[in-house]
Amino acid sequence: MTDLSAPVSEPSFPPEADHDVVIVGGGAIGASLARGLAGAGVTVALVEAVPSERDAHPSYDDRAIALSLASKQILDGLGVWQCLAPRPAPIRQVHVSDRGHFGLTRLCAAEHGLEAFGYVSDAKALGLALTRSLEAQPVRLLCPAEVEAVSIGSDRARVTVRAHESQQVLQARLLVAADGGRSLVRRLLDIETAERAYGQCALIANVTTERDHGATAFERFTSTGPIALLPMPDDRMGLIWTVREEDSERLLALDDEAFLDALGAGFGTRLGRFLRVGRRSAYPLALIQAREQVRERLVVIGNAAHTLHPIAGQGMNLGLRDVAALAQVIVDARREGDDPGRLGRLRAYRRWRRHDHRDVTRFTDGLVWLFSNRLPGVTAARNLGLLAIDCVPGVKGRFVRRAMGLAGRQTRLARGLPL
């Protein structure tokens, strides 16, 4: 979680204050949007419920976040990328395989004229970089702060917040809900969701392998779920191991040696033995989609709008593309003297993002079904599909472009241009 624990400056902000935008949720998505808007002259208040340690340094136990090339461009344009330390590890090769079957896809960035397909960062490093980049911006930060009520009027959104033992009312022309898959704002405004549990958990840890990862990301599909290993700084690898819900507690309870043996049995010996594992955690997996993502004076973005399975590593990247598009729509409205919370503007944002949301959700959900299904015909089809990506001219290039977030209409930030 991004650290937003700086004290609120009461003389500058009376108990009921106007802003252009109020963002609820100070994680990577909400903080990135606040950074982009404030840097373009938009007045922003950012509300976050969970405090964190300001000087927390990335450690061995940090979660790995895969950032596509488009996400790197967006964070660079926001002034966040240059604050990341340690520097994110590049993904120069991708290796996808189906354990026990013939399907295999290998991708090399150099073959596509690229330095890397994307990069892998520590979650804490990203949070710290966002904190540092926000400190120089005129953003009103309220953390820890609890949202108590939300109302939407014809010309303003009002958010009642309890922070530092006092109640405050924030007013804005636009309210952005970026408060995660179990969004409080979404519930307070009775926005329905479509949800489907996968019956799986994602088991997260950092590991060290006997052989160097060689800047390669691995996705190994097994009978119990995919094992993803991402290259990280300091010769670590970020593990995202999808397991059945009934297996997650057993694996978490194993000692380190037994856990590494189980991981090796699932992944195989391509990286040699697994030598070390950091702190392990697990969370249940579900597909969650908000049925409404825009209303008059309201936008729902990031995991609050669409929570995906981590099988393709697209959740954070999809959210950052939301940030880049929404920031562009808001900044353009302000420059043109228009109201950024006007429904017509927000519907234009929704039309822009609809196809990307649909395509990524279908792709991710389809992969879960395809690689969880052990029927012989489905197994053969998916292995032929992996070979087709690897061998058929043109298929690999289209696949790579979409995975890097460069398909469809691009935002200014994703193209390396300022807001």
Side-chain angles (χ1 to χ4, degrees), residues 1-5 23-27 30 46-53 141-148 159-164 178-180 182-185 187:
M1 182 63 64
T2 303
D3 174 24
L4 302 176
S5 55
I23 302 168
V24 176
L46 181 59
V47 181
E48 170 54 44
V50 180
S52 62
E53 298 177 12
L141 308 177
L142 294 94
C143 178
E146 296 285 345
V147 173
E148 296 187 336
V159 183
T160 304
V161 174
R162 183 164 296 278
H164 305 287
D179 52 341
R182 299 300 172 188
S183 168
L184 174 61
V185 172
R187 294 200 305 273

Side-chain angles (χ1 to χ4, degrees), residues 201 203 243-254 282:
C201 286
L203 201 156
V243 299
R244 291 182 291 253
E245 282 185 341
E246 58 267 27
D247 294 333
S248 62
E249 289 189 13
R250 175 182 61 81
L251 289 168
L252 288 174
L254 294 175

Side-chain angles (χ1 to χ4, degrees), residues 303-418:
N303 280 349
H306 38 68
T307 300
L308 306 179
H309 195 288
I311 192 170
Q314 290 298 311
M316 174 71 75
N317 296 299
L318 190 63
L320 285 172
R321 296 198 293 274
D322 285 350
V323 166
L326 182 58
Q328 186 169 321
V329 167
I330 292 170
V331 169
D332 285 350
R334 193 174 184 276
R335 286 172 179 162
E336 295 164 14
D338 196 5
D339 183 344
R342 185 171 60 83
L343 186 57
R345 284 281 183 176
L346 303 182
R347 283 176 172 166
Y349 159 79
R350 180 69 186 118
R351 286 193 298 271
W352 186 353
R353 299 297 300 136
R354 180 180 291 122
H355 294 298
D356 194 18
H357 291 170
R358 180 200 63 197
D359 293 346
V360 171
T361 300
R362 287 178 178 175
F363 174 69
T364 300
D365 195 45
L367 282 179
V368 176
W369 178 86
L370 188 63
F371 284 96
S372 298
N373 196 315
R374 291 287 145 181
L375 292 174
V378 176
T379 300
R382 70 168 175 259
N383 280 272
L384 288 171
L386 288 174
L387 289 177
I389 293 172
D390 199 48
C391 301
V392 177
V395 173
K396 184 180 288 189
R398 290 194 296 272
F399 178 83
V400 165
R401 189 164 183 81
R402 178 162 293 283
M404 292 191 301
L406 299 177
R409 179 186 170 192
Q410 294 296 297
T411 60
R412 288 197 288 266
L413 287 173
R415 287 182 285 141
L417 302 173

Side-chain angles (χ1 to χ4, degrees), residues 158-201:
R158 290 167 58 92
V159 183
T160 304
V161 174
R162 183 164 296 278
H164 305 287
E165 300 182 355
S166 65
Q167 189 182 78
Q168 302 170 58
V169 177
L170 307 176
Q171 291 194 134
R173 290 191 286 174
L174 176 64
L175 169 63
V176 178
D179 52 341
R182 299 300 172 188
S183 168
L184 174 61
V185 172
R186 203 178 55 204
R187 294 200 305 273
L188 289 173
L189 293 176
D190 295 321
I191 295 175
E192 295 182 352
T193 59
E195 301 188 22
R196 186 172 75 254
Y198 286 113
Q200 299 174 329
C201 286

Side-chain angles (χ1 to χ4, degrees), residues 63-64 200-207 226-229 237-245 247-254 259-260 262-263 277-285 309-310:
R63 181 167 49 96
Q200 299 174 329
C201 286
L203 201 156
I204 308 298
N206 284 186
V207 297
I227 298 174
L229 288 167
M237 298 201 80
L239 170 68
I240 306 170
W241 187 1
T242 301
V243 299
R244 291 182 291 253
E245 282 185 341
D247 294 333
S248 62
E249 289 189 13
R250 175 182 61 81
L251 289 168
L252 288 174
L254 294 175
F259 177 84
L260 292 172
L263 176 59
V277 62
R279 183 181 56 200
R280 289 166 263 159
S281 60
Y283 61 91
L285 300 177
H309 195 288

Side-chain angles (χ1 to χ4, degrees), residues 66 91 93-99 103-107 200 216-222 225-231 237-242 266-267 270-271 285 309-314 363-364 367-368 371 386 399:
I91 300 174
Q93 288 86 222
V94 176
H95 188 284
V96 184
S97 60
D98 192 2
R99 184 166 174 78
L104 179 68
T105 292
R106 288 163 294 197
L107 305 172
Q200 299 174 329
T216 302
F218 294 87
E219 185 99 35
R220 182 75 155 155
F221 293 99
T222 75
I227 298 174
L229 288 167
L230 303 174
M237 298 201 80
L239 170 68
I240 306 170
W241 187 1
T242 301
F267 182 78
R270 188 171 298 276
L271 289 166
L285 300 177
H309 195 288
I311 192 170
Q314 290 298 311
F363 174 69
T364 300
L367 282 179
V368 176
F371 284 96
L386 288 174
F399 178 83

